[in-house]
Amino acid sequence: MDVLEAIFTRRSIRRFTGEPIKEEDLRTILKAGFQAPSAHNYEPREYVVVRDKDVLDRIAEFHKYAKMLPKAGCGIIVCGDKEKQPEIGFLVEDCSASIQNMLLAAHGLGLGAVWCGLYSVEKLIKSMADVLELPDNLIPIGMVVVGVKAEDKEPIDRFDENKVHFDKWK
């Protein structure tokens, strides 16, 4: 699948078969995350791959939009290291770019994936940090839930000319 096809056809998938994803696919998705741009090239991203059923269940308990997690192949929690990137805006942007790359990689591999937000909801940040036993310098920014698809969705054209402005707001 070429990059434009991936961008224009990717959809959030929330239904999974429960089958594990292949190690080589997981590695490809993680490599895509590492390829994302990073402000000042500080590379503040850290990844926690969760496949343990008990941990997946615990996350699904506190995150109301991650109820599908136990049926997915894994959850990849993207964390930002505030010691490597103290500017929180850049840290969030770096992690978000990584998440988007991973979503596109999963789609390109024929897998399903969905982005479950964490930052800046304090309860979600704290709960995730507690479950994953994160050190204080790591902030969980978002989670990519990845698995073998149990649903397909048609592409949606979201382009809106009314939201495009040139040179000035008009």
Coordinates of all heavy atoms in Angstrom, one line a residue, residues 10-82:
R10 N -7.1 4.9 6.0 CA -7.0 4.4 7.4 C -8.3 4.8 8.1 O -8.8 5.9 8.0 CB -5.8 5.0 8.0 CG -5.5 4.4 9.4 CD -4.8 5.3 10.3 NE -5.6 6.4 10.8 CZ -6.5 6.3 11.7 NH1 -6.8 5.1 12.3 NH2 -7.3 7.3 12.1
R11 N -8.7 3.9 8.9 CA -9.9 4.2 9.8 C -9.6 3.6 11.2 O -8.8 2.6 11.3 CB -11.2 3.5 9.3 CG -11.7 4.0 8.0 CD -12.3 5.4 8.0 NE -13.3 5.5 9.1 CZ -14.5 5.2 9.0 NH1 -15.0 4.7 7.9 NH2 -15.4 5.4 10.0
S12 N -10.2 4.1 12.2 CA -10.0 3.6 13.6 C -10.8 2.3 13.7 O -12.0 2.3 13.4 CB -10.5 4.6 14.6 OG -9.7 5.8 14.6
I13 N -10.1 1.3 14.1 CA -10.8 -0.1 14.2 C -10.8 -0.4 15.7 O -9.8 -0.3 16.4 CB -9.9 -1.1 13.4 CG1 -9.9 -0.8 11.9 CG2 -10.5 -2.5 13.7 CD1 -11.2 -0.8 11.2
R14 N -12.0 -0.8 16.1 CA -12.2 -1.1 17.5 C -12.7 -2.5 17.8 O -13.0 -2.8 18.9 CB -13.2 -0.1 18.1 CG -12.7 1.4 18.1 CD -13.8 2.3 18.6 NE -13.3 3.7 18.7 CZ -13.2 4.5 17.7 NH1 -13.7 4.2 16.5 NH2 -12.7 5.7 17.8
R15 N -12.8 -3.3 16.8 CA -13.2 -4.7 16.9 C -12.1 -5.6 16.4 O -11.6 -5.5 15.3 CB -14.5 -5.0 16.2 CG -15.7 -4.3 16.8 CD -17.0 -4.8 16.2 NE -18.1 -4.0 16.8 CZ -19.0 -3.4 16.1 NH1 -19.0 -3.5 14.8 NH2 -20.0 -2.8 16.8
F16 N -11.7 -6.5 17.3 CA -10.5 -7.4 17.0 C -10.9 -8.8 17.2 O -11.8 -9.2 18.0 CB -9.4 -7.0 17.9 CG -9.0 -5.6 17.7 CD1 -9.4 -4.6 18.6 CD2 -8.2 -5.1 16.7 CE1 -9.1 -3.3 18.5 CE2 -7.8 -3.8 16.5 CZ -8.3 -2.9 17.4
T17 N -10.2 -9.7 16.6 CA -10.4 -11.2 16.7 C -9.9 -11.8 18.0 O -10.3 -12.9 18.4 CB -9.8 -11.9 15.5 OG1 -8.4 -11.8 15.6 CG2 -10.3 -11.4 14.2
G18 N -8.9 -11.1 18.6 CA -8.3 -11.7 19.8 C -7.0 -12.5 19.5 O -6.3 -12.9 20.4
E19 N -6.7 -12.6 18.2 CA -5.5 -13.3 17.8 C -4.3 -12.4 18.1 O -4.4 -11.2 17.9 CB -5.5 -13.5 16.3 CG -6.6 -14.5 15.8 CD -6.6 -14.5 14.2 OE1 -5.5 -14.8 13.6 OE2 -7.6 -14.1 13.7
P20 N -3.2 -13.0 18.5 CA -2.0 -12.2 18.7 C -1.4 -11.7 17.3 O -1.6 -12.3 16.3 CB -1.0 -13.2 19.3 CG -1.5 -14.5 19.0 CD -3.0 -14.4 18.8
I21 N -0.8 -10.6 17.3 CA -0.1 -10.1 16.1 C 1.3 -10.7 16.0 O 1.9 -11.0 17.0 CB -0.1 -8.5 16.0 CG1 0.7 -7.9 17.1 CG2 -1.6 -8.0 16.0 CD1 0.8 -6.4 17.0
K22 N 1.7 -10.8 14.8 CA 3.1 -11.4 14.6 C 4.2 -10.5 15.1 O 4.0 -9.2 15.1 CB 3.3 -11.6 13.1 CG 2.4 -12.5 12.4 CD 2.6 -12.5 10.9 CE 1.5 -13.3 10.2 NZ 1.5 -12.9 8.8
E23 N 5.2 -11.1 15.6 CA 6.3 -10.3 16.2 C 6.9 -9.4 15.1 O 7.3 -8.2 15.4 CB 7.4 -11.3 16.7 CG 7.1 -12.0 18.0 CD 6.8 -11.0 19.1 OE1 7.6 -10.0 19.3 OE2 5.8 -11.3 19.9
E24 N 7.0 -9.8 13.9 CA 7.6 -9.0 12.8 C 6.7 -7.8 12.5 O 7.2 -6.7 12.2 CB 7.9 -9.8 11.6 CG 6.7 -10.3 10.9 CD 7.0 -11.3 9.7 OE1 7.7 -12.3 10.0 OE2 6.6 -11.0 8.6
D25 N 5.4 -8.0 12.6 CA 4.5 -6.8 12.5 C 4.6 -5.9 13.6 O 4.6 -4.6 13.4 CB 3.0 -7.3 12.3 CG 2.7 -8.0 11.0 OD1 3.6 -7.9 10.1 OD2 1.7 -8.7 10.9
L26 N 4.7 -6.4 14.8 CA 4.9 -5.5 16.0 C 6.2 -4.7 15.8 O 6.2 -3.5 16.0 CB 4.9 -6.3 17.3 CG 5.2 -5.5 18.5 CD1 4.2 -4.4 18.8 CD2 5.3 -6.4 19.7
R27 N 7.2 -5.3 15.4 CA 8.5 -4.6 15.2 C 8.4 -3.5 14.1 O 8.9 -2.4 14.3 CB 9.6 -5.6 14.9 CG 11.0 -5.0 14.8 CD 12.1 -6.0 14.7 NE 13.4 -5.4 14.5 CZ 14.1 -4.9 15.4 NH1 13.7 -4.9 16.7 NH2 15.3 -4.4 15.1
T28 N 7.7 -3.9 13.1 CA 7.5 -2.9 12.0 C 6.7 -1.7 12.5 O 7.1 -0.5 12.2 CB 6.8 -3.5 10.8 OG1 7.6 -4.6 10.3 CG2 6.5 -2.5 9.7
I29 N 5.7 -1.9 13.2 CA 4.9 -0.8 13.8 C 5.7 0.1 14.7 O 5.7 1.3 14.6 CB 3.6 -1.4 14.5 CG1 2.7 -2.0 13.5 CG2 2.9 -0.3 15.3 CD1 1.6 -2.9 14.1
L30 N 6.5 -0.6 15.6 CA 7.4 0.2 16.5 C 8.4 1.0 15.7 O 8.7 2.1 16.0 CB 8.0 -0.7 17.5 CG 7.1 -1.3 18.6 CD1 7.8 -2.5 19.3 CD2 6.7 -0.2 19.5
K31 N 9.0 0.3 14.7 CA 10.0 1.1 13.9 C 9.4 2.3 13.2 O 10.0 3.3 13.1 CB 10.6 0.1 12.8 CG 11.6 -0.9 13.4 CD 12.1 -1.8 12.3 CE 13.1 -1.0 11.4 NZ 13.9 -1.9 10.5
A32 N 8.1 2.2 12.8 CA 7.4 3.3 12.2 C 7.3 4.4 13.2 O 7.5 5.6 12.9 CB 6.1 2.9 11.7
G33 N 7.0 4.1 14.5 CA 6.9 5.1 15.5 C 8.2 5.8 15.7 O 8.3 7.0 15.9
F34 N 9.3 5.1 15.7 CA 10.7 5.6 15.9 C 11.0 6.6 14.7 O 11.9 7.5 14.9 CB 11.7 4.6 16.0 CG 11.8 4.0 17.4 CD1 11.2 2.8 17.7 CD2 12.6 4.6 18.4 CE1 11.3 2.2 19.0 CE2 12.7 4.0 19.6 CZ 12.1 2.9 19.9
Q35 N 10.4 6.4 13.6 CA 10.8 7.2 12.4 C 10.1 8.6 12.4 O 10.4 9.4 11.5 CB 10.4 6.5 11.1 CG 11.3 5.3 10.8 CD 12.8 5.7 10.7 OE1 13.6 5.1 11.5 NE2 13.1 6.5 9.8
A36 N 9.2 8.8 13.3 CA 8.5 10.1 13.4 C 9.5 11.3 13.6 O 10.5 11.1 14.3 CB 7.4 10.1 14.4
P37 N 9.1 12.5 13.2 CA 10.0 13.6 13.5 C 10.0 13.9 15.0 O 9.0 13.6 15.7 CB 9.3 14.7 12.7 CG 7.9 14.3 12.4 CD 7.9 12.8 12.4
S38 N 11.0 14.6 15.4 CA 11.1 15.0 16.8 C 11.7 16.4 16.9 O 12.8 16.7 16.3 CB 12.1 14.0 17.5 OG 12.4 14.4 18.8
A39 N 11.1 17.3 17.7 CA 11.6 18.6 17.8 C 13.0 18.6 18.4 O 13.3 17.9 19.4 CB 10.7 19.4 18.8
H40 N 13.9 19.3 17.8 CA 15.3 19.4 18.1 C 16.0 18.0 18.1 O 17.1 17.9 18.7 CB 15.5 20.0 19.5 CG 14.8 21.3 19.7 ND1 15.2 22.5 19.1 CD2 13.6 21.7 20.4 CE1 14.4 23.5 19.4 NE2 13.4 23.0 20.2
N41 N 15.3 17.1 17.5 CA 15.8 15.7 17.5 C 16.1 15.1 18.9 O 17.1 14.3 19.1 CB 17.1 15.6 16.6 CG 17.3 14.2 16.1 OD1 16.4 13.4 15.9 ND2 18.5 13.8 15.9
Y42 N 15.3 15.5 19.9 CA 15.6 15.1 21.3 C 15.1 13.6 21.5 O 15.5 13.0 22.5 CB 14.9 16.0 22.3 CG 15.5 17.3 22.5 CD1 14.9 18.3 23.2 CD2 16.7 17.7 21.9 CE1 15.4 19.6 23.4 CE2 17.3 18.9 22.1 CZ 16.7 19.9 22.9 OH 17.2 21.1 23.1
E43 N 14.2 13.1 20.6 CA 13.7 11.8 20.7 C 13.2 11.4 22.1 O 13.8 10.5 22.7 CB 14.8 10.8 20.2 CG 15.3 11.0 18.8 CD 14.2 10.6 17.8 OE1 13.3 9.9 18.0 OE2 14.4 11.1 16.6
P44 N 12.2 12.1 22.6 CA 11.8 11.8 24.0 C 10.8 10.6 24.2 O 10.4 10.4 25.3 CB 11.1 13.1 24.4 CG 10.5 13.6 23.1 CD 11.5 13.2 22.0
R45 N 10.6 9.9 23.1 CA 9.5 8.9 23.1 C 10.1 7.6 23.7 O 11.2 7.2 23.4 CB 9.0 8.6 21.7 CG 8.4 9.9 21.1 CD 8.2 9.7 19.6 NE 9.4 9.6 18.9 CZ 9.7 10.4 17.9 NH1 8.9 11.3 17.5 NH2 10.9 10.3 17.3
E46 N 9.2 7.0 24.5 CA 9.5 5.6 25.0 C 8.2 4.8 24.8 O 7.1 5.4 24.8 CB 9.8 5.7 26.5 CG 11.0 6.5 26.9 CD 12.3 5.7 26.7 OE1 12.3 4.5 26.5 OE2 13.4 6.4 26.6
Y47 N 8.3 3.5 24.6 CA 7.2 2.7 24.3 C 7.0 1.5 25.2 O 8.0 0.9 25.6 CB 7.3 2.1 22.8 CG 7.6 3.2 21.8 CD1 8.9 3.7 21.5 CD2 6.5 3.8 21.1 CE1 9.1 4.6 20.6 CE2 6.7 4.8 20.2 CZ 8.0 5.2 19.9 OH 8.3 6.2 19.0
V48 N 5.8 1.3 25.7 CA 5.5 0.2 26.6 C 4.5 -0.7 25.8 O 3.4 -0.2 25.6 CB 5.0 0.6 27.9 CG1 4.7 -0.7 28.8 CG2 5.9 1.5 28.7
V49 N 4.9 -1.9 25.4 CA 4.1 -2.8 24.7 C 3.4 -3.7 25.7 O 4.1 -4.4 26.5 CB 4.9 -3.7 23.7 CG1 3.9 -4.7 23.0 CG2 5.6 -2.8 22.6
V50 N 2.1 -3.7 25.7 CA 1.4 -4.5 26.7 C 0.6 -5.6 26.0 O -0.2 -5.4 25.1 CB 0.4 -3.6 27.5 CG1 -0.4 -4.5 28.5 CG2 1.1 -2.5 28.3
R51 N 1.0 -6.9 26.4 CA 0.3 -8.0 25.9 C -0.3 -8.9 27.0 O -1.1 -9.8 26.7 CB 1.2 -8.9 25.0 CG 1.6 -8.1 23.7 CD 2.4 -9.0 22.8 NE 3.8 -9.0 23.3 CZ 4.8 -9.3 22.5 NH1 4.7 -9.6 21.3 NH2 6.1 -9.2 23.0
D52 N 0.1 -8.7 28.2 CA -0.3 -9.5 29.4 C -1.8 -9.2 29.6 O -2.2 -8.1 29.7 CB 0.5 -9.0 30.6 CG 0.1 -9.8 31.8 OD1 -0.8 -9.4 32.5 OD2 0.7 -10.8 32.1
K53 N -2.6 -10.3 29.6 CA -4.0 -10.2 29.7 C -4.5 -9.4 31.0 O -5.4 -8.6 30.9 CB -4.7 -11.6 29.7 CG -6.2 -11.5 29.8 CD -6.9 -12.6 29.3 CE -8.4 -12.6 29.5 NZ -9.1 -11.3 29.5
D54 N -3.8 -9.7 32.1 CA -4.2 -9.0 33.3 C -4.0 -7.5 33.2 O -4.8 -6.7 33.7 CB -3.4 -9.5 34.5 CG -3.8 -10.9 34.9 OD1 -5.0 -11.3 34.6 OD2 -3.0 -11.7 35.5
V55 N -2.9 -7.1 32.6 CA -2.6 -5.6 32.4 C -3.6 -5.0 31.4 O -4.1 -3.9 31.7 CB -1.1 -5.4 32.0 CG1 -0.8 -3.9 31.8 CG2 -0.2 -6.0 33.1
L56 N -3.8 -5.7 30.4 CA -4.8 -5.2 29.4 C -6.2 -5.0 30.0 O -6.8 -4.0 29.8 CB -4.9 -6.2 28.2 CG -3.7 -6.4 27.3 CD1 -3.9 -7.5 26.3 CD2 -3.3 -5.1 26.6
D57 N -6.6 -6.0 30.9 CA -7.9 -5.9 31.6 C -7.9 -4.7 32.5 O -8.9 -4.0 32.6 CB -8.2 -7.2 32.3 CG -8.6 -8.3 31.5 OD1 -8.9 -8.1 30.3 OD2 -8.4 -9.5 31.9
R58 N -6.8 -4.5 33.2 CA -6.7 -3.4 34.2 C -6.8 -2.0 33.5 O -7.5 -1.1 33.9 CB -5.4 -3.4 35.0 CG -5.4 -4.5 36.0 CD -4.2 -4.6 36.8 NE -3.9 -3.4 37.6 CZ -2.7 -3.0 38.1 NH1 -1.7 -3.8 37.9 NH2 -2.6 -1.9 38.7
I59 N -6.2 -1.9 32.3 CA -6.3 -0.7 31.5 C -7.7 -0.5 31.1 O -8.2 0.6 31.1 CB -5.3 -0.7 30.4 CG1 -3.8 -0.7 30.9 CG2 -5.5 0.5 29.4 CD1 -2.8 -0.9 29.8
A60 N -8.3 -1.5 30.5 CA -9.7 -1.4 30.0 C -10.7 -1.0 31.2 O -11.7 -0.4 30.9 CB -10.1 -2.7 29.4
E61 N -10.3 -1.4 32.4 CA -11.2 -1.0 33.5 C -11.2 0.5 33.8 O -12.3 1.1 34.0 CB -10.7 -1.7 34.8 CG -11.1 -3.1 34.9 CD -10.5 -3.8 36.1 OE1 -10.1 -3.1 37.1 OE2 -10.4 -5.1 36.1
F62 N -10.1 1.2 33.7 CA -10.1 2.6 34.0 C -10.2 3.5 32.8 O -10.5 4.7 32.9 CB -8.8 3.0 34.8 CG -7.5 3.0 34.0 CD1 -7.2 4.0 33.1 CD2 -6.6 2.0 34.2 CE1 -6.0 4.0 32.5 CE2 -5.4 2.0 33.6 CZ -5.1 3.0 32.7
H63 N -10.0 3.0 31.5 CA -10.1 3.8 30.3 C -11.4 3.4 29.6 O -11.4 2.4 28.9 CB -8.9 3.6 29.5 CG -8.7 4.6 28.4 ND1 -9.7 5.1 27.6 CD2 -7.6 5.4 28.1 CE1 -9.2 6.0 26.8 NE2 -8.0 6.2 27.1
K64 N -12.4 4.2 29.7 CA -13.7 3.9 29.1 C -13.7 3.7 27.6 O -14.6 3.1 27.0 CB -14.8 4.8 29.6 CG -14.7 6.2 29.0 CD -15.9 7.1 29.5 CE -15.8 8.5 29.0 NZ -17.0 9.3 29.5
Y65 N -12.7 4.3 26.9 CA -12.6 4.2 25.5 C -11.7 3.1 25.0 O -11.4 2.9 23.8 CB -12.2 5.5 24.8 CG -13.2 6.6 25.1 CD1 -13.0 7.6 26.0 CD2 -14.5 6.5 24.5 CE1 -13.9 8.6 26.2 CE2 -15.5 7.5 24.8 CZ -15.1 8.5 25.6 OH -16.1 9.5 25.9
A66 N -11.2 2.3 25.9 CA -10.3 1.2 25.6 C -10.9 -0.2 26.0 O -10.2 -1.1 26.3 CB -9.0 1.4 26.3
K67 N -12.2 -0.3 26.0 CA -12.8 -1.6 26.4 C -12.5 -2.7 25.4 O -12.6 -3.9 25.8 CB -14.4 -1.4 26.5 CG -14.8 -0.4 27.5 CD -14.4 -0.7 28.9 CE -14.9 0.3 29.9 NZ -14.1 0.4 31.1
M68 N -12.1 -2.4 24.2 CA -11.7 -3.4 23.2 C -10.3 -3.9 23.4 O -10.0 -5.0 22.8 CB -11.8 -2.8 21.8 CG -10.6 -2.0 21.3 SD -10.2 -0.5 22.3 CE -11.4 0.7 21.7
L69 N -9.6 -3.3 24.3 CA -8.2 -3.7 24.5 C -7.9 -5.2 24.7 O -7.0 -5.8 24.1 CB -7.5 -2.8 25.6 CG -6.1 -2.9 25.8 CD1 -5.2 -2.7 24.5 CD2 -5.6 -1.9 26.9
P70 N -8.7 -5.8 25.6 CA -8.4 -7.2 25.9 C -8.6 -8.2 24.7 O -8.0 -9.2 24.6 CB -9.4 -7.6 27.0 CG -9.7 -6.3 27.7 CD -9.6 -5.3 26.6
K71 N -9.3 -7.7 23.7 CA -9.5 -8.5 22.4 C -8.5 -8.2 21.4 O -8.4 -8.8 20.3 CB -10.9 -8.4 21.9 CG -12.0 -9.0 22.7 CD -12.0 -10.5 22.6 CE -12.7 -10.9 21.3 NZ -12.8 -12.4 21.1
A72 N -7.7 -7.2 21.6 CA -6.7 -6.8 20.6 C -5.4 -7.6 20.8 O -5.2 -8.3 21.8 CB -6.4 -5.3 20.8
G73 N -4.5 -7.5 19.9 CA -3.2 -8.1 20.0 C -2.3 -7.5 21.0 O -1.5 -8.2 21.7
C74 N -2.4 -6.2 21.2 CA -1.6 -5.5 22.2 C -2.0 -4.1 22.3 O -2.7 -3.6 21.4 CB -0.1 -5.6 21.9 SG 0.4 -4.7 20.4
G75 N -1.5 -3.4 23.3 CA -1.6 -2.0 23.4 C -0.2 -1.4 23.5 O 0.7 -2.0 24.1
I76 N 0.1 -0.4 22.7 CA 1.4 0.3 22.7 C 1.2 1.6 23.4 O 0.5 2.5 22.8 CB 2.0 0.4 21.3 CG1 2.1 -1.0 20.7 CG2 3.4 1.1 21.4 CD1 2.4 -0.9 19.2
I77 N 1.7 1.8 24.6 CA 1.6 3.1 25.2 C 2.8 3.9 24.9 O 4.0 3.5 25.1 CB 1.4 2.9 26.8 CG1 0.1 2.2 27.1 CG2 1.4 4.3 27.4 CD1 0.2 0.7 26.9
V78 N 2.6 5.1 24.3 CA 3.7 6.0 23.9 C 3.8 7.0 25.0 O 2.9 7.7 25.4 CB 3.4 6.7 22.6 CG1 4.5 7.6 22.2 CG2 3.1 5.7 21.5
C79 N 5.0 7.1 25.6 CA 5.3 7.9 26.7 C 6.3 9.0 26.3 O 7.2 8.7 25.5 CB 5.8 7.1 27.9 SG 4.7 5.8 28.5
G80 N 6.2 10.1 26.9 CA 7.2 11.2 26.7 C 8.1 11.4 27.9 O 7.6 11.4 29.0
D81 N 9.4 11.5 27.6 CA 10.4 11.7 28.7 C 10.6 13.2 28.9 O 11.2 13.8 28.0 CB 11.7 11.0 28.4 CG 12.7 11.0 29.5 OD1 12.6 11.9 30.4 OD2 13.6 10.2 29.5
K82 N 10.0 13.7 30.0 CA 10.1 15.2 30.2 C 11.5 15.6 30.5 O 11.8 16.8 30.5 CB 9.1 15.7 31.2 CG 9.1 15.0 32.5 CD 7.9 15.5 33.4 CE 8.0 14.7 34.7 NZ 6.8 15.0 35.5

